[in-house]
Amino acid sequence: MFGRLCISLTLAAGVVAGPNFAQGVGDADKGAEIFKKCSGCHQVGVGASDKVGPHLNGIFGSPAAAHEGYRYSKSMTRAGDDGLIWTAETLDAYLENPRALVSKTRMSFRGLKDPADRADVLAYLRRFSDDPANIPEAEPTAIGTDHDLDPEILALVGDAEYGEYLASECLTCHRADGAAEGIPSITLWETEDFVIAMHAYKRKLRPHPVMQMMAGRLNDEEIAALAAYFKDLD
Amino acid sequence: MNINRRLFIGSGAAAATTLAAPTVFADGHAKPRVVVVGGGAGGATAARYIAKDSKGEIDVTLIEPTRMYYTCFFSNLYLGGVKGIDDLGHSYGTLAANGVNVVHDWAVGVDRDAKTVSLAGGGQVPYDKLILSPGIDFVDGAVEGWDLSAQNAMPHAYKGGSQTELLKAQMAAMPQGGTFAMVAPPNPYRCPPGPYERVSMVAHYLKANNPTAKIIVADPKPKFSKMALFQEGWAEHYEGMIDWIGEDFGGGEVSVDPAAMTVTIDGEVTNVDVCNIIPAMKAGRIAEIAGVTDGNWAPVNAADMSTKADADIYVLGDASQQGDMPKSGYAANSQAKVCANAVRGALTGAKVFPAKFSNTCWSLIDANDGVKVGATYEATDEKIAKVDGFISATGESAELRKATYEESEGWYAGITADMFG
């Protein structure tokens, strides 16, 4: 089941990647401000094009030096040939110190030393990349999601009967039988995973617009109710 | 009435109300009876949810003339060659196996005093609550020169099934370099982006099979749903093929001659090879027969989809006049669940939860180039009111557009499973 797998992967990444990744998902709006430092060379978003540096749309999950039409340095091309993929981890490392990851890169940037700043920039950049919550083959673009969710929210015990009614809205798209064709399955999730994911949409940390909209009007009890219902829907 | 678990655990104002006033059935029959007319996104969903959730406490009868339901949603993808006609067909067998009495007949009358629905085959079906989900019919005289007798020469193809197949066959028979014309409808109508997704899919088909063909769209509206997205896509994928003639250029001044196969737009006569007429629409006829319409549509109460004219008759989907929701399969499905919950509560005392509505609408511009729009809604005293919404952006990446199309395929599988079980 992709949804759980995705969360598991991102949590696992937080464990293995060291303290830099304990920052979790950053604040994309703050990242947009920080990205202004980069905008002299890079564009991202609607209508973005290559400037001194390549545009950064779709950067997550793409191989290094794979963007057609842009002339990369030899070292970046070599890194791409060697299999460097731009993931949350590699981008974090590159942003911290470009030359530490790709020696002789033409990116003449000293790096962002504050892990929180890097997390914010990555959160901003992932707005313009595939969303792993919805595209199974996409690279994870977030690290250690939602660790700061209020424990009282996670401790709520949902009303499964209310959840059944609320779930009818979800089941227009998500399959009750757990099938996942184009839209991820949401059945049999662990309650905590479900609540964390829904609050991430509600807080617009996860970017999918439909889910942001649907979660946005659910209160804490309603999310808990949905989690309680889907946990046992088999 | 059986006293069930749901009634005992009910709490709050709604449950208190139903406890205080249990429903009494006039002729003393044991189970409450719900009749649903129309087996599309609204009707099939309502029938399924009432039967499923009432667990045998309510007799549910679905009246639907066709034995195989062909969805109107995704029918444009069939025209474009992206889907086969069999991909759009769904039977009622699973609904029947799960407790819904499925009657394949036309509902031709409603006696609101006797609370019966009469069938073309001669029967009478009694109800305690009647749910009408008849979809659309067309307004006579909406396009000068066209009426239903011309639908074989100039198909509307705005109800799923044979008309869609006819239009596809006519497209396939077009001469090289021929002209495909569409007359778009005025607001309000079923599926606001539908005609423009159709233009896209017709262009997609013609680009592959008849690349010098032209498409003319006569439109009485100055703008339409997802307009910027469609026009961007048409310029990108079908440059020079599509001529959209809006209100400012006489797009509303249209007449047709089905015998001569001509379309006259603002006085200019054009010979066409295929002509798709999507006329102005109104609620399906049974709503008018039941006396619950006011003008072309059936006004309803937002909290439960009951009609303004009769508290025991509900109208779902395209036929209803409900407020801000578009007329779409998704919207009908959403409304059906609110209605099903309210009807079950009224008949059995089950807990009634607050109404929540939502809609998302995907459109395919070219193969793997999907866009979407959506919104959430709430019930107010006046109408179903929009709360929040979103729309795809122009200039999105090809990867995102492909993912959006794949998502729409997932939605189709989801909603049809939700409708038919």
Side-chain angles (χ1 to χ4, degrees):
Chain A
M1 178 170 51
F2 172 69
R4 293 176 63 188
L5 177 64
C6 175
I7 286 181
S8 300
L9 283 172
T10 54
L11 290 173
V15 170
V16 300
N20 285 353
F21 298 108
Q23 297 300 320
V25 175
D27 183 323
D29 291 334
K30 288 182 181 175
E33 286 300 309
I34 299 168
F35 185 78
K36 289 177 181 174
K37 296 178 182 177
C38 319
S39 61
C41 298
H42 293 283
Q43 292 188 344
V44 69
V46 176
S49 60
D50 298 338
K51 296 297 179 186
V52 176
H55 76 69
L56 299 177
N57 290 341
I59 187 69
F60 280 91
S62 69
H67 173 48
E68 284 188 11
Y70 180 77
R71 192 170 61 86
Y72 290 92
S73 65
K74 287 182 180 177
S75 57
M76 184 63 79
T77 301
R78 186 184 309 115
D81 291 342
D82 287 345
L84 176 62
I85 303 291
W86 291 125
T87 66
E89 292 146 323
T90 56
L91 281 169
D92 183 84
Y94 194 63
L95 280 176
E96 183 179 16
N97 182 350
R99 287 185 170 77
L101 193 68
V102 182
S103 59
K104 298 184 180 178
T105 174
R106 283 205 298 267
M107 188 156 116
S108 56
F109 181 62
R110 298 180 65 179
L112 291 170
K113 302 309 174 192
D114 186 339
D117 286 352
R118 297 198 300 275
D120 292 343
V121 170
L122 293 180
Y124 175 64
L125 290 177
R126 81 168 186 167
R127 284 181 172 174
F128 310 102
S129 283
D130 287 345
D131 175 6
N134 302 291
I135 307 169
E137 63 272 25
E139 283 292 323
T141 57
I143 307 162
T145 55
D146 310 300
H147 292 292
D148 58 342
L149 197 60
D150 186 342
E152 289 186 12
I153 292 174
L154 289 172
L156 284 172
V157 177
D159 176 351
E161 185 185 14
Y162 188 29
E164 181 176 12
Y165 169 70
L166 294 170
S168 69
E169 192 163 48
C170 311
L171 294 174
T172 300
C173 297
H174 295 280
R175 297 276 295 273
D177 62 6
E181 301 160 11
I183 291 179
S185 170
I186 55 173
T187 63
L188 300 177
W189 280 44
E190 294 300 323
T191 302
E192 185 169 304
D193 290 351
F194 192 99
V195 172
I196 287 171
M198 290 297 285
H199 279 277
Y201 285 120
K202 186 177 172 70
R203 297 160 63 196
K204 301 192 186 303
L205 298 174
R206 286 182 173 228
H208 194 271
V210 177
M211 288 306 303
Q212 286 183 353
M213 182 183 76
M214 302 301 283
R217 65 172 174 171
L218 296 172
N219 61 36
D220 296 345
E221 288 74 21
E222 289 172 331
I223 289 174
L226 281 167
Y229 175 69
F230 280 115
K231 178 172 69 68
D232 296 321
L233 183 63
D234 194 358
Chain B
M1 181 179 66
N2 293 331
I3 304 297
N4 65 3
R5 171 184 168 273
R6 290 175 186 275
L7 186 145
F8 272 115
I9 65 174
S11 61
T17 300
T18 52
L19 278 167
T23 302
V24 175
F25 307 111
D27 61 359
H29 55 271
K31 283 186 182 180
R33 295 174 297 209
V34 172
V35 172
V36 182
V37 176
T45 304
R48 176 170 177 264
Y49 270 75
I50 293 171
K52 174 176 72 71
D53 293 341
S54 69
K55 297 179 172 59
E57 288 186 65
I58 298 175
D59 278 338
V60 182
T61 299
L62 175 64
I63 301 171
E64 163 60 44
T66 63
R67 292 177 184 277
M68 187 68 104
Y69 178 75
Y70 287 90
T71 59
C72 198
F73 46 93
F74 264 38
S75 63
N76 290 327
L77 277 59
Y78 161 70
L79 295 176
V82 178
K83 296 288 179 188
I85 194 69
D86 290 341
D87 296 331
L88 309 181
H90 306 270
S91 80
Y92 292 92
T94 306
L95 273 184
N98 286 281
V100 176
N101 307 306
V102 181
V103 176
H104 291 300
D105 202 344
W106 290 96
V108 294
V110 175
D111 184 331
R112 285 163 47 180
D113 294 327
K115 288 195 167 185
T116 58
V117 176
S118 54
L119 304 176
Q124 303 277 331
V125 186
Y127 67 83
D128 295 297
K129 297 286 188 183
L130 173 61
I131 298 172
L132 302 178
S133 189
I136 48 135
D137 274 322
F138 301 114
V139 175
D140 290 337
V143 177
E144 184 182 344
W146 189 92
D147 60 26
L148 274 181
S149 68
Q151 67 177 341
N152 287 342
M154 293 184 170
H156 56 78
Y158 227 59
K159 297 180 181 182
S162 59
Q163 274 275 302
T164 320
E165 290 184 280
L166 174 62
L167 185 61
K168 179 69 177 288
Q170 292 181 351
M171 288 165 54
M174 275 177 64
Q176 290 295 310
T179 299
F180 179 103
M182 170 193 282
V183 178
N187 292 319
Y189 61 95
R190 161 180 283 178
C191 190
Y196 311 98
E197 180 187 62
R198 174 167 297 179
V199 168
S200 305
M201 288 293 94
V202 170
H204 175 76
Y205 175 86
L206 293 176
K207 184 178 176 182
N209 297 283
N210 192 345
T212 56
K214 299 293 182 189
I215 299 170
I216 300 171
V217 185
D219 202 328
K221 306 181 293 297
K223 59 182 181 180
F224 54 83
S225 175
K226 301 177 187 164
M227 186 170 183
L229 294 166
F230 279 116
Q231 291 189 331
E232 176 192 59
W234 294 347
E236 178 182 351
H237 301 298
Y238 316 116
E239 186 178 8
M241 181 177 268
I242 299 166
D243 184 11
W244 178 77
I245 304 168
E247 182 189 45
D248 290 347
F249 301 97
E253 301 298 320
V254 177
S255 64
V256 298
D257 184 339
M261 286 302 288
T262 60
V263 176
T264 302
I265 303 172
D266 203 21
E268 182 175 337
V269 181
T270 302
N271 293 309
V272 298
D273 300 289
V274 178
C275 189
N276 175 208
I277 305 288
I278 309 178
M281 298 173 199
K282 62 181 182 179
R285 174 126 175 86
I286 192 65
E288 184 180 347
I289 290 171
V292 296
T293 54
D294 181 5
N296 286 339
W297 309 103
V300 297
N301 298 300
D304 61 1
M305 304 303 292
S306 62
T307 66
K308 302 280 190 184
D310 188 324
D312 290 325
I313 300 181
Y314 303 73
V315 174
L316 304 178
D318 297 350
S320 68
Q321 178 183 307
Q322 37 70 21
D324 295 346
M325 294 188 85
K327 298 182 185 300
S328 74
Y330 193 127
N333 172 270
S334 177
Q335 293 161 13
K337 293 165 184 173
V338 170
C339 177
N341 182 246
V343 166
R344 189 164 59 91
L347 293 176
T348 69
K351 191 185 290 184
V352 177
F353 296 107
K356 285 179 183 284
F357 302 97
S358 58
N359 179 63
T360 300
C361 171
W362 290 264
S363 300
L364 192 60
I365 298 176
D366 192 13
N368 292 317
D369 187 354
V371 294
K372 63 190 174 189
V373 63
T376 54
Y377 307 84
E378 65 182 6
T380 69
D381 291 342
E382 292 77 32
K383 64 176 183 177
I384 298 178
K386 183 177 175 180
V387 176
D388 190 14
F390 70 90
I391 186 169
S392 295
T394 54
E396 288 176 336
S397 69
E399 292 76 15
L400 177 56
R401 291 295 180 83
K402 181 173 185 287
T404 300
Y405 168 58
E406 290 168 351
E407 184 180 89
S408 75
E409 286 195 306
W411 164 77
Y412 186 89
I415 191 173
T416 51
D418 200 38
M419 290 164 59
F420 299 107

